Amino acid sequence: MAEICCGVVSESEGGSCETSTRAARRRRADPAVKRRCLDLCDKPLHNCGGETEKLSLRSEKGKQLPPPIVLTPILNPLPSSSSGAGISSNRKDALPKFGFASVCGRRRDMEDAVASHPSFFRREKRDLEDAAAALHYFGVYDGHGCSHVATKCKERLHEMVKEELLLDDVGEEVSDRNSSSWWRRVMERSFTRMDREVVAWNENVVENMIPSCRCELQSPDCDAVGSTAVVAVVTPCNIVVANCGDSRAVLCRNGKAIPLSTDHKPDRPDEMNRIQAAGGRVIFWEGARVLGVLAMSRAIGDNYLKPYVSCEPEVTITERSEGDECLILASDGLWDVVSNETACGVARMCLKGKAKVMDGGTDKACEDASMLLTKLALARRSADNVSVLVIDLS
């Protein structure tokens, strides 16, 4: 062990470097000094409580030397649940690596919610073609009016999708379980059930006057509360996206941005025709709004705007390929100020940069990518809550 001396030697104490070096060699050769050194080396520096034990070393003249410097080992931290970092594995059906960030931004209240449920559903092994493969659920919900509908979606929607998968899994052929019509049926029924549960919960709150969040304390009317929902179910072969509202899912494949959902804005031609056919109107007041109120044409909740505002999701199924790099789910707080191409470029930069430096640390890279995208949205003066979830598909 090397000795480092830090101090000033006065002229009275001084001597030649050669003399002091010979004296140091003689002291080290002294058996008594060797025994003291061995005793100190064998003595543990850390006790069971994690506190560093202070060692007091004194020279032969009784002068107290500064305590030794204790170097704490640098450990790779485990991903925390609050950060949303994913868990990696080398298995074929390994849990995907992901990370998310959600910030209030310039809004008074935080009304977004993010859900991540790796391996939330696993099919039974039926034959060699259909091995027991896990399905992974991710969702971003952008609430409006209050946060409780987005919170309800975060807590319950994945459970409803799982229940519908179990119902449709009985008696279905292997080929039917991956068809567009099968997935569309599962997602539509899940979103409809979620909408009915939110409406029933609101009615129960109003009838019993149960103050459970800010909107009930301010007003007994909860019908003006809703939430968007963009949900992605990642399977070994496909990416299934169900979207209701103006949150968005974008796939980064071979460096290119591929939107997997289309925003439900009231001025979208087909949405405007649907609203008008139902007897409603789209009024342009600070942007296109349903009846001049809501800036999206589809959402869960918003009972006072039905049937003009629908809870029916649009479902897309995209076959996975070797060129898939990452999937980005985000609320409109990001997409209002950041393009699909820019978001994919930032995410790719973070994933590739961290992959070169860290061994198996791309979960941290997803977390960094989501945080960097939220900071970019805020730097570009986004006026909404910003929630970003990045899933590594590589």
Side-chain angles (χ1 to χ4, degrees):
M1 181 176 67
E3 294 182 358
I4 302 176
C5 298
C6 298
V8 179
V9 180
S10 64
E11 294 181 359
S12 60
E13 295 176 344
S16 66
C17 293
E18 183 181 358
T19 305
S20 60
T21 304
R22 285 200 300 269
R25 282 202 297 267
R26 284 197 298 270
R27 285 197 300 270
R28 287 197 294 268
D30 188 355
V33 175
K34 285 186 177 181
R35 282 195 297 272
R36 281 207 310 273
C37 291
L38 290 175
D39 291 340
L40 290 174
C41 293
D42 292 338
K43 193 171 185 179
L45 295 181
H46 296 274
N47 58 22
C48 297
E51 299 178 354
T52 304
E53 187 173 340
K54 298 180 180 179
L55 299 180
S56 178
L57 303 182
R58 294 183 180 272
S59 66
E60 294 179 358
K61 296 183 179 180
K63 293 182 180 181
Q64 186 169 354
L65 299 178
I69 299 174
V70 180
L71 298 179
T72 305
I74 300 175
L75 304 177
N76 292 326
L78 294 175
S80 60
S81 57
S82 60
S83 64
I87 303 172
S88 62
S89 175
N90 293 325
R91 296 176 302 164
K92 182 180 179 181
D93 58 343
L95 300 182
K97 302 169 185 177
F98 63 92
F100 64 83
S102 190
V103 295
C104 185
R106 291 176 174 82
R107 283 293 181 91
R108 183 183 66 176
D109 300 302
M110 182 62 183
E111 296 176 339
D112 286 3
V114 179
S116 55
H117 301 280
S119 191
F120 86 112
F121 181 80
R122 186 180 294 273
R123 291 195 179 103
E124 296 180 357
K125 187 174 181 179
R126 299 190 176 188
D127 50 47
L128 296 178
E129 298 294 330
D130 183 29
L135 307 184
H136 315 293
Y137 179 101
F138 303 95
V140 171
Y141 314 103
D142 182 2
H144 46 265
C146 191
S147 60
H148 72 258
V149 174
T151 302
K152 287 288 182 183
C153 291
K154 174 184 177 179
E155 296 171 351
R156 291 282 296 137
L157 188 52
H158 68 284
E159 294 291 345
M160 294 182 179
V161 173
K162 182 177 180 179
E163 291 170 4
E164 293 298 330
L165 288 172
L166 289 171
L167 288 175
D168 266 359
D169 208 34
V170 178
E172 293 284 348
E173 296 294 333
V174 174
S175 59
D176 294 339
R177 292 202 304 274
N178 289 322
S179 64
S180 300
S181 59
W182 184 82
W183 274 109
R184 186 173 293 107
R185 183 170 67 247
V186 167
M187 289 300 184
E188 287 177 356
R189 291 199 306 222
S190 302
F191 276 58
T192 301
R193 286 180 56 192
M194 187 72 248
D195 183 76
R196 291 174 180 172
E197 183 171 303
V198 168
V199 171
W201 184 83
N202 287 341
E203 293 174 352
N204 180 59
V205 168
V206 173
E207 290 175 1
N208 298 286
M209 295 301 294
I210 305 172
S212 61
C213 60
R214 175 176 54 84
C215 63
E216 287 94 18
L217 294 174
Q218 294 179 349
S219 170
D221 186 9
C222 294
D223 286 347
V225 180
S227 175
T228 71
V230 58
V231 170
V233 177
V234 180
T235 77
C237 302
N238 299 309
I239 302 171
V240 182
V241 172
N243 179 52
C244 179
D246 55 4
S247 296
R248 191 182 306 168
V250 177
L251 172 67
C252 184
R253 173 178 289 176
N254 294 320
K256 296 182 179 180
I258 302 175
L260 301 187
S261 66
T262 305
D263 300 351
H264 292 127
K265 295 292 188 180
D267 56 349
R268 210 176 87 175
D270 56 341
E271 289 295 287
M272 182 179 290
N273 293 335
R274 180 185 62 80
I275 293 169
Q276 293 175 348
R281 294 180 60 189
V282 177
I283 300 175
F284 289 82
W285 181 72
E286 294 184 355
R289 297 176 181 270
V290 179
L291 301 185
V293 179
L294 193 62
M296 66 205 70
S297 57
R298 300 194 190 190
I300 294 175
D302 295 300
N303 196 39
Y304 75 118
L305 289 176
K306 296 184 185 307
Y308 319 126
V309 173
S310 172
C311 67
E312 180 181 347
E314 283 187 318
V315 183
T316 62
I317 300 178
T318 305
E319 187 176 356
R320 296 181 64 176
S321 72
E322 293 292 334
D324 292 347
E325 297 171 89
C326 65
L327 176 65
I328 304 173
L329 306 180
S331 59
D332 65 331
L334 174 73
W335 306 118
D336 286 346
V337 294
V338 178
S339 66
N340 297 347
E341 292 74 16
T342 301
C344 283
V346 171
R348 290 181 70 242
M349 176 185 65
C350 292
L351 294 179
K352 289 191 174 182
K354 289 292 182 180
K356 293 177 181 178
V357 177
M358 301 177 63
D359 183 13
T362 47
D363 51 345
K364 182 66 167 57
C366 290
E367 192 177 333
D368 291 344
S370 59
M371 181 57 69
L372 187 57
L373 286 172
T374 58
K375 291 182 178 180
L376 177 61
L378 295 179
R380 294 188 175 186
R381 309 295 296 177
S382 175
D384 204 348
N385 301 147
V386 184
S387 296
V388 183
L389 192 154
V390 178
I391 304 107
D392 186 1
L393 300 176
S394 60

